Amino acid sequence: MVDYHAAGQPAYQYGGNGPGIGDYMAQEDDWDRDLLLDPAWEKQQRKTFTAWCNSHLRKAGTQIENIDEDFRDGLKLMLLLEVISGERLPKPERGKMRVHKINNVNKALDFIASKGVKLVSIGAEEIVDGNAKMTLGMIWTIILRFAIQDISVEETSAKEGLLLWCQRKTAPYKNVNVQNFHISWKDGLAFNALIHRHRPELIEYDKLRKDDPVTNLNNAFEVAEKYLDIPKMLDAEDIVNTARPDEKAIMTYVSSFYHAFSGAQKAETAANRICKVLAVNQENEHLMEDYEKLASDLLEWIQRTIPWLENRVPQKTMQEMQQKLEDFRDYRRVHKPPKVQEKCQLEINFNTLQTKLRLSNRPAFMPSEGKMVSDINNGWQHLEQAEKGYEEWLLNEIRRLERLDHLAEKFRQKASIHEGWTEGKEAMLRQKDYETATLSDIKALIRKHEAFESDLAAHQDRVEQIAAIAQELNELDYYDSPSVNARCQKICDQWDSLGSLTHTRREALEKTEKQLETIDQLHLEYAKRAAPFNNWMESAMEDLQDMFIVHTIEEIEGLIAAHDQFKSTLPDADKEREAILGIQSEAQRIADYNNIKLSGNNPYTSVTPQIINSKWERVQQLVPKRDHALQDEQSKQQSNEHLRRQFASQANIVGPWIQTKMEEIGRISIEMNGTLEDQLDHLKQYERSIVDYKPNIDLLEQQHQLIQEALIFDNKHTNYTMEHIRVGWEQLLTTIARTINEVENQILTRDAKGISQEQMQEFRASFNHFDKDHGGSLGPEEFKACLISLGYDVENDRQGDAEFNRIMSVVDPNNSGVVTFQAFIDFMSRETTDTDTADQVIASFKVLAGDKNYITAEELRRELPPDQAEYCIARMAPYQGPDAIPGALDYKSFSTALYGESDL
């Protein structure tokens, strides 16, 4: 145990070199036994020391009433030392025996000695026995060590420092002359002057009178207790009525003023630092919330749009598919462009937020799962792929429906012609007319049947065409396939029936043919030539009325050439018609000449001259109609070709222009000259010139819409599609916006870190020098060479490699293998500037908490603005330390969480 009873030594001495408490004690011959026995001084010290102890003990929720008695067991003495030092003492003994009390007091005295104070003539037994002299001496030693020792003003400390501080603060006040800590304070004006100097609104100093010391003293004591939280430690009457007030009591009370006012200044500084840190944190949290909301909205729109684009359920009619195409165009024109802007703004906001976090020494922002910029880009890529697939599907489906409509109309036309031809044929083949016919009639029936068979064979191609068209409609999933199949099956069944009936009738006619001899050669010849000619005319009428669909000039010109070829055969056909009609005329002439009565029409055929002439006249009418239809289609294809050339002309200008601008932006981002503000202005002017080019894109969109409305699906005059132009334009806008954002972040970094323009240019020159491929980033070896050129020791040895790996973990935390210029600037700015740290914020909170390891909600609300006080209260965890009190908050874990060292 420390020897507290060494004889012949001063009562206490502060260990250490230089002026301090020990010097002051030696000079003043403090703690004089006779003076201590002065009742007036003892009373003042007892009251002052008691109030001073309670001002600290109340922080622990207790107090003392009698300074002689309440410290005897050592418990409150140890608690007092823990409160004023902020340190833990050994665990006290809770027993009631004298030895327990002595042990507790010795623990307190050992702690005081550990702080460099040598206590002599003061032992634990005196304190336990309630020795007032020793107890007051011990408390005065504690006050000197923990309340007065650290006072320092202009290289003076302790008593001299406190006295100099009082003189400096009261110098402007009349009738105040502080020369000591006893009679200079008797009139009370010095106390009032100290308060008025720091809190002028609390004291009406001009109304105080030097001849009324009691009023002056009571006024200062009451104001200090009410507004400055300084307990009343002195009695006005004791000071006034004592020739020389107790110096220790006055010094103790005045030191409370020093700590109160210096603490206020520290609190203000600490509060300002915390406000600054919290303001940055609140702004960053607001930016994070904005990013999360914008990302959620954009992802929700993408997730809602992709199923619509992936819905490939085909429609039955062309009108329904045209409506789908119009809905898709509306999506492209109206709904998608704002989302493109939102995506670009999201990336800009994310980059700005990350820059601010780096500048404020905060950890990088990690969005919620699924809301990273890469997730947005992946979703957007999926959307683009679905959009492209949807457009291709729409166009293919429209082509399919167009083809189906054409085939269905062709099927109906051919089926109607065939059904018209077969009408009555089964009834004719079932007739038994040969049973009562004459020989000539039989011969005629045989010839007629032969002509029918020839006609039947000629119609075989049409039946096969009908079946082939029905099969193609089924393969193309025509919506009305059941009715087509039913009609086709009916035609095929009827065709089989006609074949069987034809064969049966031929057998019956040939059986009786031997009995018949007369046959009319002219009628037979007429029938044989009229039937194929009639079929030719029917086929010609069918071809002239046949629908056609083309997509190019070459296709329509091919149809026109085929039609011209057909028209060139009409003179020969007219000759054949006249020859056939001549046969009929010749037969009639011979019959008339020989007075032969012909029995009605030609018995070998139902094709009369009237039918031939009627059909020939019909063919003559259909030819000019076909001419007009082909000419109209030719005009339409010429118009389509004009649209193709018009779009290609504009696209072949816009496409290269976009590519050129993209290359120019790449060069600008590498070869930036001048100040960052000049570069930013240049880039914004460049951006405006790009935006001014937007009407050319709009014109191209209008031309593309005309092409789509005309159902033009290809364009051989250009390699650029509207999709290429749109993607290039969006990439151009995004690239210039991202480049501007990078320069803005560099300005933000420069201003926040205090980097000069020359330093920024030096960083840019160093970076560009080693960026050999001008790609805007450095590989690991290039970056190492750059660091070496700047004086960093990262040579190829174990220590250099470790330092280089540490730097790479800072500039490339994601291990991408490259270092961007922004990461390079951030690293160089951190190497050359200072920022707030978690330790500084913890120290600031400790000042506000009065050196406690915790802080209360009331203290936060008193020292900080309301919104930031509530921000801290809502996020601080309860303090769990051994000295915790109800409502205590842990400011240390909160401060480290601000800098990402732990989670809130």
Side-chain angles (χ1 to χ4, degrees), residues 432-632:
K432 302 294 185 180
D433 52 346
Y434 53 85
E435 294 179 350
T436 58
T438 63
L439 179 60
S440 59
D441 293 335
I442 290 299
K443 289 185 178 292
L445 289 176
I446 290 174
R447 300 299 182 269
K448 183 178 180 181
H449 191 72
E450 290 175 353
F452 173 77
E453 287 180 329
S454 177
D455 197 12
L456 188 68
H459 279 79
Q460 177 68 33
D461 289 340
R462 182 179 291 114
V463 174
E464 292 175 356
Q465 290 174 7
I466 290 172
I469 293 172
Q471 178 64 28
E472 188 171 0
L473 286 172
N474 277 280
E475 292 173 355
L476 294 177
D477 196 23
Y478 182 54
Y479 77 96
D480 199 22
S481 292
S483 63
V484 170
N485 293 337
R487 191 172 184 182
C488 180
Q489 187 62 45
K490 182 179 179 182
I491 289 172
C492 291
D493 292 344
Q494 187 183 42
W495 184 256
D496 292 338
S497 177
L498 286 176
S500 177
L501 291 173
T502 299
H503 180 71
T504 301
R505 184 171 176 81
R506 166 171 281 281
E507 288 180 346
L509 290 174
E510 289 176 350
K511 186 177 179 179
T512 58
E513 183 182 13
K514 295 177 182 180
Q515 302 172 5
L516 304 174
E517 297 177 350
T518 307
I519 188 169
D520 190 346
Q521 291 297 329
L522 288 174
H523 280 187
L524 180 59
E525 184 178 358
Y526 172 88
K528 288 183 177 180
R529 296 180 65 175
F533 185 76
N534 182 59
N535 287 335
W536 176 85
M537 287 191 296
E538 287 181 350
S539 296
M541 288 188 293
E542 180 180 347
D543 291 338
L544 290 171
Q545 297 178 86
D546 189 18
M547 294 178 64
F548 58 84
I549 178 170
V550 296
H551 297 95
T552 65
I553 285 290
E554 291 77 13
E555 291 177 356
I556 189 60
E557 288 177 351
L559 290 179
I560 292 174
H563 183 62
D564 291 339
Q565 178 65 28
F566 168 77
K567 289 193 293 184
S568 67
T569 64
L570 290 179
D572 293 336
D574 190 42
K575 291 179 182 178
E576 177 65 10
R577 180 185 67 83
E578 291 177 351
I580 292 171
L581 294 178
I583 293 172
Q584 179 66 20
S585 298
E586 180 63 14
Q588 185 65 45
R589 187 188 67 77
I590 293 173
D592 292 342
Y593 180 81
N594 295 293
N595 296 320
I596 298 173
K597 294 182 179 180
L598 298 176
S599 57
N601 296 328
N602 190 322
Y604 306 118
T605 181
S606 61
V607 180
T608 65
Q610 292 77 14
I611 291 174
I612 291 175
N613 287 330
S614 174
K615 292 184 177 180
W616 178 256
E617 183 179 355
R618 179 60 178 160
V619 168
Q620 295 296 312
Q621 293 172 351
L622 290 174
V623 168
K625 290 183 179 180
R626 184 72 168 184
D627 287 334
H628 291 314
L630 292 172
Q631 290 171 1
D632 291 341

Side-chain angles (χ1 to χ4, degrees), residues 111 204 206 214 224 232 309 331 382 395 397 424 456 480 511 526 530 547 600 602 673 709 764 771 859 890:
F111 179 78
E204 294 181 303
D206 293 337
V214 174
K232 185 177 180 182
L309 293 173
Y331 155 79
H382 188 186
L395 297 178
E397 192 64 18
L456 188 68
D480 199 22
K511 186 177 179 179
Y526 172 88
M547 294 178 64
N602 190 322
N673 297 314
E709 290 173 353
R764 168 60 77 179
D771 184 13
E859 289 170 332
D890 188 352

